[in-house]
Protein backbone atom coordinates (compact mmCIF):
# COMPACT_ATOMS: atom_id res chain seq x y z
CA UNK A 1 0.00 0.00 0.00
CA UNK A 2 2.97 2.32 0.60
CA UNK A 3 4.41 4.01 -2.45
CA UNK A 4 1.12 3.61 -4.42
CA UNK A 5 -1.21 6.28 -5.90
CA UNK A 6 -3.65 8.01 -3.58
CA UNK A 7 -6.97 9.28 -5.02
CA UNK A 8 -7.71 12.89 -4.04
CA UNK A 9 -11.18 14.03 -3.13
CA UNK A 10 -13.24 15.99 -5.65
CA UNK A 11 -13.02 19.21 -3.67
CA UNK A 12 -9.23 19.08 -3.34
CA UNK A 13 -7.42 22.22 -4.50
CA UNK A 14 -4.77 20.00 -6.09
CA UNK A 15 -7.24 18.22 -8.40
CA UNK A 16 -5.53 18.15 -11.80
CA UNK A 17 -7.07 19.46 -14.96
CA UNK A 18 -7.52 17.43 -18.13
CA UNK A 19 -4.21 17.04 -19.95
CA UNK A 20 -1.97 17.74 -16.96
CA UNK A 21 0.39 15.27 -15.32
CA UNK A 22 -1.07 12.97 -12.58
CA UNK A 23 0.07 13.74 -9.05
CA UNK A 24 1.77 10.89 -7.18
CA UNK A 25 2.60 11.09 -3.49
CA UNK A 26 5.18 8.85 -1.96
CA UNK A 27 3.92 8.41 1.60
CA UNK A 28 7.07 6.75 2.68
CA UNK A 29 9.34 9.36 1.16
CA UNK A 30 10.50 12.68 2.44
CA UNK A 31 8.07 15.53 2.86
CA UNK A 32 10.25 17.79 0.73
CA UNK A 33 9.63 15.74 -2.41
CA UNK A 34 5.87 15.94 -1.95
CA UNK A 35 6.09 19.69 -1.42
CA UNK A 36 8.15 20.13 -4.59
CA UNK A 37 5.73 18.08 -6.69
CA UNK A 38 2.77 19.91 -5.25
CA UNK A 39 4.41 23.24 -6.12
CA UNK A 40 5.20 22.14 -9.69
CA UNK A 41 1.65 20.91 -10.21
CA UNK A 42 0.18 24.16 -8.95
CA UNK A 43 2.45 26.03 -11.41
CA UNK A 44 1.19 23.88 -14.29
CA UNK A 45 -2.40 24.49 -13.25
CA UNK A 46 -1.78 28.25 -13.25
CA UNK A 47 -0.23 28.03 -16.74
CA UNK A 48 -3.13 25.95 -18.03
CA UNK A 49 -5.55 28.55 -16.67
CA UNK A 50 -3.67 31.46 -18.23
CA UNK A 51 -3.47 29.80 -21.69
CA UNK A 52 -7.23 29.82 -22.39
CA UNK A 53 -7.39 33.36 -21.09
CA UNK A 54 -4.69 34.50 -23.55
CA UNK A 55 -6.39 32.68 -26.43
CA UNK A 56 -9.73 34.27 -25.61
CA UNK A 57 -8.08 37.69 -25.44
CA UNK A 58 -6.47 37.13 -28.84
CA UNK A 59 -9.83 36.04 -30.24
CA UNK A 60 -11.36 39.28 -29.01
CA UNK A 61 -8.58 41.37 -30.56
CA UNK A 62 -8.43 39.58 -33.96
CA UNK A 63 -11.54 40.05 -36.14
CA UNK A 64 -13.21 37.09 -37.77
CA UNK A 65 -12.34 36.33 -41.43
CA UNK A 66 -15.91 37.00 -42.54
CA UNK A 67 -15.91 40.42 -40.85
CA UNK A 68 -12.53 41.24 -42.38
CA UNK A 69 -13.76 40.20 -45.84
CA UNK A 70 -16.86 42.37 -45.51
CA UNK A 71 -14.70 45.31 -44.47
CA UNK A 72 -12.52 44.85 -47.57
CA UNK A 73 -15.58 44.68 -49.82
CA UNK A 74 -16.92 47.87 -48.22
CA UNK A 75 -13.61 49.66 -48.82
CA UNK A 76 -13.57 48.43 -52.42
CA UNK A 77 -17.04 49.84 -53.14
CA UNK A 78 -16.20 53.11 -51.43
CA UNK A 79 -13.07 53.38 -53.54
CA UNK A 80 -15.11 52.68 -56.70
CA UNK A 81 -17.69 55.30 -55.73
CA UNK A 82 -15.05 58.00 -55.16
CA UNK A 83 -13.28 57.14 -58.44
CA UNK A 84 -16.54 57.41 -60.37
CA UNK A 85 -17.49 60.66 -58.64
CA UNK A 86 -14.10 62.29 -59.22
CA UNK A 87 -13.90 61.04 -62.81
CA UNK A 88 -17.39 62.23 -63.72
CA UNK A 89 -16.81 65.63 -62.16
CA UNK A 90 -13.53 65.97 -64.05
CA UNK A 91 -15.15 65.12 -67.38
CA UNK A 92 -17.95 67.61 -66.80
CA UNK A 93 -15.37 70.38 -66.31
CA UNK A 94 -14.23 69.92 -69.92
CA UNK A 95 -15.76 71.98 -72.69
CA UNK A 96 -18.38 70.17 -74.77
CA UNK A 97 -16.44 70.40 -78.04
CA UNK A 98 -13.30 68.80 -76.55
CA UNK A 99 -14.98 66.25 -74.29
CA UNK A 100 -15.40 63.54 -76.91
CA UNK A 101 -11.81 63.84 -78.13
CA UNK A 102 -10.59 63.80 -74.55
CA UNK A 103 -12.52 60.61 -73.71
CA UNK A 104 -11.24 59.01 -76.90
CA UNK A 105 -7.67 59.61 -75.77
CA UNK A 106 -8.36 58.38 -72.23
CA UNK A 107 -9.90 55.17 -73.55
CA UNK A 108 -6.94 54.66 -75.85
CA UNK A 109 -4.44 54.67 -72.96
CA UNK A 110 -6.44 52.72 -70.40
CA UNK A 111 -8.75 50.36 -72.29
CA UNK A 112 -5.92 47.85 -73.07
CA UNK A 113 -5.11 47.40 -69.37
CA UNK A 114 -8.80 47.38 -68.42
CA UNK A 115 -9.44 44.58 -70.92
CA UNK A 116 -6.42 42.64 -69.68
CA UNK A 117 -7.77 42.98 -66.14
CA UNK A 118 -11.12 41.63 -67.32
CA UNK A 119 -9.35 38.69 -68.97
CA UNK A 120 -7.44 37.91 -65.76
CA UNK A 121 -10.69 37.83 -63.76
CA UNK A 122 -12.20 35.40 -66.28
CA UNK A 123 -9.08 33.22 -66.28
CA UNK A 124 -9.40 32.95 -62.51
CA UNK A 125 -13.00 31.78 -63.02
CA UNK A 126 -11.73 29.16 -65.49
CA UNK A 127 -9.24 27.85 -62.96
CA UNK A 128 -11.89 27.76 -60.24
CA UNK A 129 -14.12 25.54 -62.38
CA UNK A 130 -11.16 23.29 -63.23
CA UNK A 131 -10.28 22.95 -59.55
CA UNK A 132 -13.86 21.93 -58.74
CA UNK A 133 -14.05 19.34 -61.53
CA UNK A 134 -11.98 16.29 -62.43
CA UNK A 135 -9.93 18.13 -65.07
CA UNK A 136 -6.28 18.50 -64.09
CA UNK A 137 -5.27 21.73 -65.82
CA UNK A 138 -1.79 21.56 -64.25
CA UNK A 139 -1.15 18.30 -66.08
CA UNK A 140 -2.55 19.65 -69.34
CA UNK A 141 -0.36 22.76 -69.30
CA UNK A 142 2.61 20.90 -67.80
CA UNK A 143 2.80 23.18 -64.75
CA UNK A 144 4.91 22.62 -61.66
CA UNK A 145 3.64 22.51 -58.09
CA UNK A 146 4.16 26.25 -57.64
CA UNK A 147 1.63 27.28 -60.27
CA UNK A 148 -0.94 29.93 -59.40
CA UNK A 149 -4.39 28.81 -58.33
CA UNK A 150 -7.62 30.69 -58.87
CA UNK A 151 -7.34 32.60 -55.57
CA UNK A 152 -3.93 34.00 -56.48
CA UNK A 153 -5.13 34.89 -59.98
CA UNK A 154 -8.08 36.76 -58.50
CA UNK A 155 -5.73 38.54 -56.10
CA UNK A 156 -3.68 39.78 -59.05
CA UNK A 157 -6.87 40.82 -60.85
CA UNK A 158 -8.06 42.69 -57.76
CA UNK A 159 -4.87 44.75 -57.56
CA UNK A 160 -5.09 45.48 -61.28
CA UNK A 161 -8.71 46.56 -60.78
CA UNK A 162 -7.57 49.00 -58.12
CA UNK A 163 -4.44 50.40 -59.77
CA UNK A 164 -5.61 50.92 -63.37
CA UNK A 165 -8.83 52.88 -62.61
CA UNK A 166 -6.96 54.87 -59.92
CA UNK A 167 -4.42 55.99 -62.51
CA UNK A 168 -7.24 56.77 -64.94
CA UNK A 169 -9.03 58.88 -62.31
CA UNK A 170 -5.83 60.76 -61.52
CA UNK A 171 -5.36 61.47 -65.24
CA UNK A 172 -8.90 62.84 -65.56
CA UNK A 173 -8.62 64.98 -62.44
CA UNK A 174 -5.20 66.46 -63.21
CA UNK A 175 -6.00 67.23 -66.84
CA UNK A 176 -9.33 68.88 -66.04
CA UNK A 177 -7.65 71.05 -63.38
CA UNK A 178 -4.92 72.30 -65.70
CA UNK A 179 -2.05 70.08 -64.53
CA UNK A 180 -1.33 68.79 -68.03
CA UNK A 181 2.26 67.65 -67.43
CA UNK A 182 1.29 65.70 -64.32
CA UNK A 183 -1.66 64.19 -66.15
CA UNK A 184 0.56 63.09 -69.03
CA UNK A 185 2.85 61.28 -66.60
CA UNK A 186 0.07 59.01 -65.24
CA UNK A 187 -0.25 56.54 -68.16
CA UNK A 188 3.50 56.64 -68.73
CA UNK A 189 4.22 55.66 -65.12
CA UNK A 190 1.57 52.95 -65.26
CA UNK A 191 2.95 51.37 -68.43
CA UNK A 192 6.51 51.51 -67.10
CA UNK A 193 5.44 49.90 -63.83
CA UNK A 194 3.68 47.05 -65.64
CA UNK A 195 6.69 46.44 -67.88
CA UNK A 196 9.12 46.47 -64.95
CA UNK A 197 6.90 44.15 -62.96
CA UNK A 198 6.83 41.59 -65.76
CA UNK A 199 10.59 41.48 -66.25
CA UNK A 200 11.63 41.99 -62.60
CA UNK A 201 14.29 39.29 -62.04
CA UNK A 202 13.92 38.90 -58.27
CA UNK A 203 11.86 36.27 -56.51
CA UNK A 204 8.84 38.41 -55.68
CA UNK A 205 5.37 38.61 -57.18
CA UNK A 206 5.24 35.06 -58.56
CA UNK A 207 8.60 34.89 -60.33
CA UNK A 208 8.11 31.34 -61.64
CA UNK A 209 4.70 32.19 -63.14
CA UNK A 210 6.02 35.38 -64.75
CA UNK A 211 8.94 33.42 -66.18
CA UNK A 212 6.55 30.78 -67.54
CA UNK A 213 4.44 33.48 -69.22
CA UNK A 214 7.45 35.25 -70.79
CA UNK A 215 8.95 31.94 -71.93
CA UNK A 216 5.67 30.93 -73.57
CA UNK A 217 5.42 34.30 -75.32
CA UNK A 218 8.96 33.83 -76.60
CA UNK A 219 8.05 30.39 -77.97
CA UNK A 220 5.01 31.91 -79.69
CA UNK A 221 7.00 34.66 -81.40
CA UNK A 222 9.78 32.25 -82.41
CA UNK A 223 8.25 28.77 -83.03
CA UNK A 224 11.63 27.06 -83.46
CA UNK A 225 10.69 24.06 -81.29
CA UNK A 226 7.86 21.57 -81.01
CA UNK A 227 4.56 23.27 -80.23
CA UNK A 228 3.07 22.42 -76.84
CA UNK A 229 -0.53 22.83 -75.75
CA UNK A 230 0.34 25.90 -73.66
CA UNK A 231 1.97 27.53 -76.72
CA UNK A 232 -0.99 27.43 -79.07
CA UNK A 233 -3.51 27.88 -76.23
CA UNK A 234 -1.98 31.23 -75.28
CA UNK A 235 -1.56 32.13 -78.96
CA UNK A 236 -5.29 31.56 -79.49
CA UNK A 237 -6.04 33.88 -76.59
CA UNK A 238 -3.75 36.51 -78.10
CA UNK A 239 -5.81 36.47 -81.31
CA UNK A 240 -8.83 37.53 -79.26
CA UNK A 241 -6.77 40.43 -77.87
CA UNK A 242 -5.35 41.73 -81.13
CA UNK A 243 -7.23 45.01 -80.66
CA UNK A 244 -5.58 45.34 -77.25
CA UNK A 245 -2.13 45.08 -78.81
CA UNK A 246 -3.06 47.59 -81.50
CA UNK A 247 -4.10 50.14 -78.87
CA UNK A 248 -0.97 49.39 -76.88
CA UNK A 249 1.13 50.20 -79.93
CA UNK A 250 -0.67 53.50 -80.50
CA UNK A 251 -0.38 54.42 -76.82
CA UNK A 252 3.34 53.69 -76.65
CA UNK A 253 3.83 55.59 -79.93
CA UNK A 254 2.26 58.70 -78.45
CA UNK A 255 4.25 58.37 -75.26
CA UNK A 256 7.48 58.13 -77.23
CA UNK A 257 6.58 61.14 -79.42
CA UNK A 258 5.35 63.19 -76.42
CA UNK A 259 1.76 63.40 -77.62
CA UNK A 260 0.11 62.36 -74.34
CA UNK A 261 -2.54 64.77 -72.99
CA UNK A 262 -2.69 66.68 -76.27
CA UNK A 263 -5.07 66.60 -79.22
CA UNK A 264 -2.39 67.08 -81.88
CA UNK A 265 -2.20 63.30 -82.30
CA UNK A 266 -5.81 63.24 -83.54
CA UNK A 267 -4.68 64.37 -86.96
CA UNK A 268 -5.03 61.37 -89.26
CA UNK A 269 -1.74 61.93 -91.05
CA UNK A 270 0.34 62.16 -87.90
CA UNK A 271 2.84 59.46 -86.92
CA UNK A 272 0.45 57.85 -84.43
CA UNK A 273 -2.78 58.76 -86.21
CA UNK A 274 -5.55 56.51 -87.47
CA UNK A 275 -3.86 56.23 -90.89
CA UNK A 276 -0.70 54.68 -89.47
CA UNK A 277 0.55 51.56 -91.25
CA UNK A 278 1.55 50.06 -87.90
CA UNK A 279 -2.11 49.55 -86.93
CA UNK A 280 -2.90 46.70 -89.38
CA UNK A 281 0.57 45.23 -88.89
CA UNK A 282 0.08 44.89 -85.13
CA UNK A 283 -3.47 43.58 -85.61
CA UNK A 284 -2.30 40.79 -87.90
CA UNK A 285 0.67 39.66 -85.78
CA UNK A 286 -1.23 37.26 -83.45
CA UNK A 287 -2.76 35.50 -86.48
CA UNK A 288 0.60 35.19 -88.17
CA UNK A 289 2.08 33.70 -84.99
CA UNK A 290 -0.70 31.15 -84.88
CA UNK A 291 -0.30 30.46 -88.60
CA UNK A 292 3.41 29.71 -88.19
CA UNK A 293 2.62 27.44 -85.25
CA UNK A 294 0.28 25.39 -87.43
CA UNK A 295 2.93 25.10 -90.13
CA UNK A 296 5.49 24.03 -87.54
CA UNK A 297 3.05 21.45 -86.20
CA UNK A 298 2.51 20.08 -89.71
CA UNK A 299 6.28 19.81 -90.16
CA UNK A 300 6.52 17.74 -86.96
CA UNK A 301 3.43 15.55 -87.29
CA UNK A 302 2.54 15.58 -91.01
CA UNK A 303 -1.14 15.91 -90.09
CA UNK A 304 -3.25 17.61 -92.73
CA UNK A 305 -5.49 19.04 -90.01
CA UNK A 306 -2.71 21.50 -89.16
CA UNK A 307 -2.81 22.87 -92.71
CA UNK A 308 -6.56 23.44 -92.55
CA UNK A 309 -6.07 25.15 -89.21
CA UNK A 310 -3.40 27.38 -90.74
CA UNK A 311 -5.84 28.25 -93.51
CA UNK A 312 -8.34 29.39 -90.90
CA UNK A 313 -5.90 31.93 -89.45
CA UNK A 314 -4.88 33.11 -92.91
CA UNK A 315 -8.48 34.20 -93.61
CA UNK A 316 -8.06 36.99 -91.01
CA UNK A 317 -5.31 38.66 -93.07
CA UNK A 318 -7.53 40.05 -95.88
CA UNK A 319 -10.08 41.28 -93.32
CA UNK A 320 -7.44 43.42 -91.64
CA UNK A 321 -5.65 44.81 -94.68
CA UNK A 322 -8.76 45.44 -96.78
CA UNK A 323 -10.13 47.52 -93.93
CA UNK A 324 -6.88 49.49 -93.70
CA UNK A 325 -7.05 50.30 -97.41
CA UNK A 326 -9.89 52.73 -96.79
CA UNK A 327 -7.38 55.36 -95.69
CA UNK A 328 -5.14 54.87 -98.73
CA UNK A 329 -7.55 54.69 -101.71
CA UNK A 330 -10.19 56.99 -103.15
CA UNK A 331 -13.61 56.80 -101.44
CA UNK A 332 -15.36 55.64 -104.64
CA UNK A 333 -12.81 52.88 -105.09
CA UNK A 334 -13.33 51.75 -101.49
CA UNK A 335 -17.13 51.77 -101.72
CA UNK A 336 -17.43 50.03 -105.08
CA UNK A 337 -14.61 47.49 -104.93
CA UNK A 338 -12.76 47.04 -101.63
CA UNK A 339 -15.72 47.25 -99.27
CA UNK A 340 -17.57 44.28 -100.88
CA UNK A 341 -14.35 42.28 -100.71
CA UNK A 342 -13.99 43.18 -97.05
CA UNK A 343 -17.56 42.01 -96.31
CA UNK A 344 -17.02 38.68 -98.13
CA UNK A 345 -13.69 38.04 -96.39
CA UNK A 346 -15.28 38.88 -93.03
CA UNK A 347 -18.06 36.34 -93.55
CA UNK A 348 -15.60 33.66 -94.67
CA UNK A 349 -13.39 34.24 -91.66
CA UNK A 350 -16.29 34.24 -89.17
CA UNK A 351 -18.01 31.12 -90.50
CA UNK A 352 -14.77 29.18 -90.92
CA UNK A 353 -13.71 30.02 -87.36
CA UNK A 354 -17.13 29.07 -85.99
CA UNK A 355 -17.05 25.73 -87.82
CA UNK A 356 -13.59 24.99 -86.45
CA UNK A 357 -14.61 25.84 -82.88
CA UNK A 358 -17.59 23.49 -82.90
CA UNK A 359 -16.13 20.56 -84.82
CA UNK A 360 -12.42 20.63 -83.92
CA UNK A 361 -11.66 22.60 -80.77
CA UNK A 362 -14.70 21.31 -78.88
CA UNK A 363 -16.02 17.80 -78.30
CA UNK A 364 -19.82 18.07 -78.40
CA UNK A 365 -20.44 14.36 -78.92
CA UNK A 366 -21.75 14.09 -75.34
CA UNK A 367 -22.59 16.26 -72.38
CA UNK A 368 -19.62 18.05 -70.96
CA UNK A 369 -18.31 16.94 -67.59
CA UNK A 370 -16.38 20.13 -66.94
CA UNK A 371 -19.26 21.43 -64.77
CA UNK A 372 -19.63 18.20 -62.80
CA UNK A 373 -18.01 19.30 -59.56
CA UNK A 374 -16.54 17.04 -56.93
CA UNK A 375 -18.70 18.72 -54.27
CA UNK A 376 -22.35 19.82 -54.49
CA UNK A 377 -22.61 23.33 -55.88
CA UNK A 378 -25.35 25.57 -57.22
CA UNK A 379 -23.26 26.22 -60.34
CA UNK A 380 -22.91 22.51 -61.01
CA UNK A 381 -26.67 22.08 -60.61
CA UNK A 382 -27.38 24.91 -63.06
CA UNK A 383 -24.75 24.06 -65.72
CA UNK A 384 -24.08 20.33 -65.64
CA UNK A 385 -26.09 18.24 -68.11
CA UNK A 386 -28.28 21.15 -69.26
CA UNK A 387 -29.13 21.45 -72.95
CA UNK A 388 -29.48 25.20 -72.75
CA UNK A 389 -25.75 25.45 -72.03
CA UNK A 390 -24.97 24.02 -75.47
CA UNK A 391 -27.53 26.19 -77.25
CA UNK A 392 -26.15 29.26 -75.49
CA UNK A 393 -22.49 28.46 -76.18
CA UNK A 394 -23.03 27.60 -79.85
CA UNK A 395 -25.38 30.53 -80.50
CA UNK A 396 -23.30 33.13 -78.69
CA UNK A 397 -20.14 31.83 -80.33
CA UNK A 398 -21.68 32.28 -83.79
CA UNK A 399 -22.92 35.80 -83.06
CA UNK A 400 -19.70 36.95 -81.43
CA UNK A 401 -17.63 35.39 -84.21
CA UNK A 402 -19.52 37.55 -86.70
CA UNK A 403 -19.11 40.73 -84.64
CA UNK A 404 -15.50 39.76 -83.95
CA UNK A 405 -14.37 41.05 -87.37
CA UNK A 406 -15.66 44.49 -86.39
CA UNK A 407 -12.75 45.04 -84.06
CA UNK A 408 -10.29 43.88 -86.71
CA UNK A 409 -11.39 46.67 -89.04
CA UNK A 410 -9.30 49.81 -88.68
CA UNK A 411 -11.84 51.99 -90.49
CA UNK A 412 -14.40 51.39 -87.70
CA UNK A 413 -12.17 52.22 -84.74
CA UNK A 414 -13.53 55.77 -84.32
CA UNK A 415 -16.54 54.20 -82.54
CA UNK A 416 -14.32 53.57 -79.53
CA UNK A 417 -17.08 52.65 -77.06
CA UNK A 418 -18.58 50.12 -79.49
CA UNK A 419 -15.17 48.63 -80.21
CA UNK A 420 -14.41 48.44 -76.47
CA UNK A 421 -17.69 46.59 -75.83
CA UNK A 422 -17.14 44.17 -78.72
CA UNK A 423 -13.59 43.44 -77.59
CA UNK A 424 -14.84 42.72 -74.07
CA UNK A 425 -17.49 40.37 -75.55
CA UNK A 426 -14.81 38.64 -77.61
CA UNK A 427 -12.77 38.05 -74.44
CA UNK A 428 -15.92 36.63 -72.81
CA UNK A 429 -16.42 34.34 -75.83
CA UNK A 430 -12.87 33.12 -75.40
CA UNK A 431 -13.62 32.53 -71.70
CA UNK A 432 -16.42 30.17 -72.74
CA UNK A 433 -14.20 28.55 -75.36
CA UNK A 434 -11.58 27.70 -72.72
CA UNK A 435 -13.87 25.29 -70.84
CA UNK A 436 -14.62 23.08 -73.83
CA UNK A 437 -11.15 23.33 -75.36
CA UNK A 438 -9.37 22.27 -72.16
CA UNK A 439 -11.84 19.46 -71.54
CA UNK A 440 -11.35 18.22 -75.10
CA UNK A 441 -7.58 18.12 -74.55
CA UNK A 442 -8.09 16.32 -71.23
CA UNK A 443 -10.24 13.68 -72.93
CA UNK A 444 -7.57 13.20 -75.61
CA UNK A 445 -4.88 12.75 -72.98
CA UNK A 446 -6.98 10.17 -71.12
CA UNK A 447 -7.76 8.30 -74.32
CA UNK A 448 -4.08 8.28 -75.27
CA UNK A 449 -3.01 7.01 -71.85
CA UNK A 450 -5.70 4.29 -71.98
CA UNK A 451 -4.48 3.22 -75.41
CA UNK A 452 -0.91 3.07 -74.16
CA UNK A 453 -1.98 0.97 -71.16
CA UNK A 454 -3.89 -1.44 -73.40
CA UNK A 455 -0.92 -1.69 -75.77
CA UNK A 456 1.42 -2.44 -72.87
CA UNK A 457 -0.97 -5.09 -71.60
CA UNK A 458 -1.15 -6.68 -75.06
CA UNK A 459 2.63 -6.70 -75.35
CA UNK A 460 2.87 -8.31 -71.90
CA UNK A 461 0.41 -11.03 -72.97
CA UNK A 462 2.41 -11.64 -76.14
CA UNK A 463 5.60 -12.01 -74.09
CA UNK A 464 3.87 -14.56 -71.87
CA UNK A 465 2.69 -16.53 -74.89
CA UNK A 466 6.19 -16.55 -76.35
CA UNK A 467 7.61 -17.82 -73.06
CA UNK A 468 5.00 -20.58 -72.92
CA UNK A 469 5.71 -21.66 -76.49
CA UNK A 470 9.45 -21.66 -75.91
CA UNK A 471 9.05 -23.71 -72.71
CA UNK A 472 6.84 -26.28 -74.49
CA UNK A 473 9.39 -26.55 -77.28
CA UNK A 474 12.20 -27.13 -74.79
CA UNK A 475 10.22 -29.84 -73.05
Amino acid sequence: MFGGQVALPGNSPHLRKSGSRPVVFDLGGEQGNGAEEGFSHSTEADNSKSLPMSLSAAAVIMPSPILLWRFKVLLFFLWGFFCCKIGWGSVMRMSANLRDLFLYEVFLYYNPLLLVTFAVWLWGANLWVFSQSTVSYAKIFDLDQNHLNHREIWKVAMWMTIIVPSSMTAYLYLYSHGEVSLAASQPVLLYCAVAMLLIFPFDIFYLSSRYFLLRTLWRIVFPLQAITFADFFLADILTSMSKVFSDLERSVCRMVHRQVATIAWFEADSICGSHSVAIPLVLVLPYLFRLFQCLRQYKDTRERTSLFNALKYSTAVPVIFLSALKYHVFPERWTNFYRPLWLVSSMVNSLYSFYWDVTRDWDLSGFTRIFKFNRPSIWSYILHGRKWVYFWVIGSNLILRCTWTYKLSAHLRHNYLTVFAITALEIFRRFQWVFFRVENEWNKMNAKSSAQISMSEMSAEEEKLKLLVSSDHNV
Side-chain angles (χ1 to χ4, degrees), residues 17 32 99 105 135 162 212 252-253 260 300 304 320 345 350 369 407 441 445 450 459 467:
K17 291 186 176 290
R99 190 177 299 160
E105 183 187 16
V135 175
I162 293 173
F212 179 82
V252 173
C253 177
V260 183
D300 296 335
R304 295 182 61 185
I320 296 172
S345 60
S350 299
R369 292 172 296 180
K407 69 181 181 61
E441 185 66 21
M445 292 177 63
S450 300
S459 61
L467 290 175

Side-chain angles (χ1 to χ4, degrees), residues 397-412:
N397 191 74
L398 176 61
I399 295 173
L400 294 177
R401 276 294 189 183
C402 293
T403 57
W404 172 58
T405 54
Y406 189 98
K407 69 181 181 61
L408 299 179
S409 305
H411 71 283
L412 300 174

Side-chain angles (χ1 to χ4, degrees), residues 114-353:
L114 290 175
L115 291 171
V116 171
T117 303
F118 179 58
V120 174
W121 277 112
L122 294 180
W123 176 240
N126 288 131
L127 295 187
W128 177 77
V129 173
F130 296 152
S131 65
Q132 301 296 318
S133 64
T134 57
V135 175
S136 177
Y137 68 92
K139 184 177 180 181
I140 294 174
F141 292 101
D142 195 18
L143 301 176
D144 57 13
Q145 297 180 353
N146 297 323
H147 66 273
L148 301 183
N149 56 27
H150 62 278
R151 292 186 181 88
E152 293 168 324
I153 293 294
W154 281 338
K155 186 184 296 184
V156 174
M158 183 190 66
W159 280 110
M160 294 174 67
T161 307
I162 293 173
I163 293 173
V164 177
S166 297
S167 176
M168 184 176 177
T169 304
Y171 179 88
L172 292 172
Y173 179 82
L174 293 172
Y175 190 91
S176 62
H177 287 75
E179 300 291 340
V180 179
S181 59
L182 290 177
S185 64
Q186 298 303 311
V188 177
L189 292 176
L190 181 62
Y191 276 56
C192 291
V194 171
M196 291 298 296
L197 192 61
L198 282 176
I199 63 175
F200 201 63
F202 300 103
D203 192 9
I204 60 172
F205 197 71
Y206 313 119
L207 176 62
S208 60
S209 298
R210 289 188 286 114
Y211 173 74
F212 179 82
L213 175 62
L214 295 175
R215 185 187 64 182
T216 306
L217 290 174
W218 179 267
R219 291 165 61 92
I220 291 172
V221 177
F222 302 100
L224 305 177
Q225 63 287 317
I227 307 300
T228 63
F229 180 78
D231 295 340
F232 67 76
F233 181 85
L234 182 58
D236 273 330
I237 293 177
L238 295 184
T239 59
S240 295
M241 304 183 72
S242 56
K243 175 65 169 57
V244 173
F245 295 114
S246 175
D247 288 344
L248 280 175
E249 181 274 329
R250 298 179 74 194
S251 301
V252 173
C253 177
R254 290 168 189 178
M255 293 175 188
V256 172
H257 292 88
R258 300 178 180 275
Q259 295 181 359
V260 183
T262 65
I263 59 172
W265 55 264
F266 195 72
E267 298 177 1
D269 296 331
S270 65
I271 299 176
C272 306
S274 57
H275 295 188
S276 175
V277 182
I279 294 175
L281 292 178
V282 176
L283 280 173
V284 82
L285 277 179
Y287 301 94
L288 294 181
F289 293 152
R290 193 68 185 90
L291 173 65
F292 294 146
Q293 281 185 338
C294 294
L295 296 179
R296 171 69 195 206
Q297 198 167 12
Y298 174 74
K299 177 180 178 297
D300 296 335
T301 62
R302 293 299 174 181
E303 295 180 356
R304 295 182 61 185
T305 307
S306 301
L307 294 179
F308 290 114
N309 199 13
L311 180 63
K312 180 191 73 172
Y313 293 103
S314 66
T315 58
V317 177
V319 178
I320 296 172
F321 284 101
L322 286 174
S323 174
L325 282 177
K326 180 183 178 181
Y327 300 119
H328 304 282
V329 297
F330 293 106
E332 296 81 7
R333 184 69 173 171
W334 160 256
T335 304
N336 298 328
F337 183 73
Y338 290 110
R339 185 178 179 181
L341 288 179
W342 171 75
L343 291 174
V344 171
S345 60
S346 299
M347 291 300 297
V348 170
N349 175 260
S350 299
L351 295 178
Y352 195 172
S353 301

Side-chain angles (χ1 to χ4, degrees), residues 72-110:
K72 290 180 180 179
V73 171
L74 179 62
L75 287 180
F76 182 80
F77 279 104
L78 287 176
W79 162 85
F81 172 76
F82 283 115
C83 283
C84 293
K85 188 176 184 302
I86 295 173
W88 179 259
S90 301
V91 171
M92 289 298 103
R93 288 174 60 94
M94 300 286 296
S95 59
N97 56 343
L98 295 178
R99 190 177 299 160
D100 191 57
L101 299 180
F102 177 68
L103 289 177
Y104 181 84
E105 183 187 16
V106 172
F107 261 86
L108 178 67
Y109 298 140
Y110 289 100

Side-chain angles (χ1 to χ4, degrees), residues 45-58:
D46 293 339
N47 292 336
S48 63
K49 290 180 181 179
S50 63
L51 182 60
M53 294 177 62
S54 62
L55 290 177
S56 62

Side-chain angles (χ1 to χ4, degrees), residues 14-70:
H14 300 287
L15 183 64
R16 68 186 182 93
K17 291 186 176 290
S18 176
S20 63
R21 194 170 55 180
V23 181
V24 179
F25 291 93
D26 190 355
L27 299 181
E30 297 179 357
Q31 295 294 330
N33 295 336
E36 289 179 358
E37 290 187 2
F39 176 77
S40 63
H41 176 64
S42 63
T43 305
E44 289 179 358
D46 293 339
N47 292 336
S48 63
K49 290 180 181 179
S50 63
L51 182 60
M53 294 177 62
S54 62
L55 290 177
S56 62
V60 172
I61 295 174
M62 293 297 295
S64 63
I66 297 178
L67 183 62
L68 189 60
W69 181 82
R70 290 176 180 176

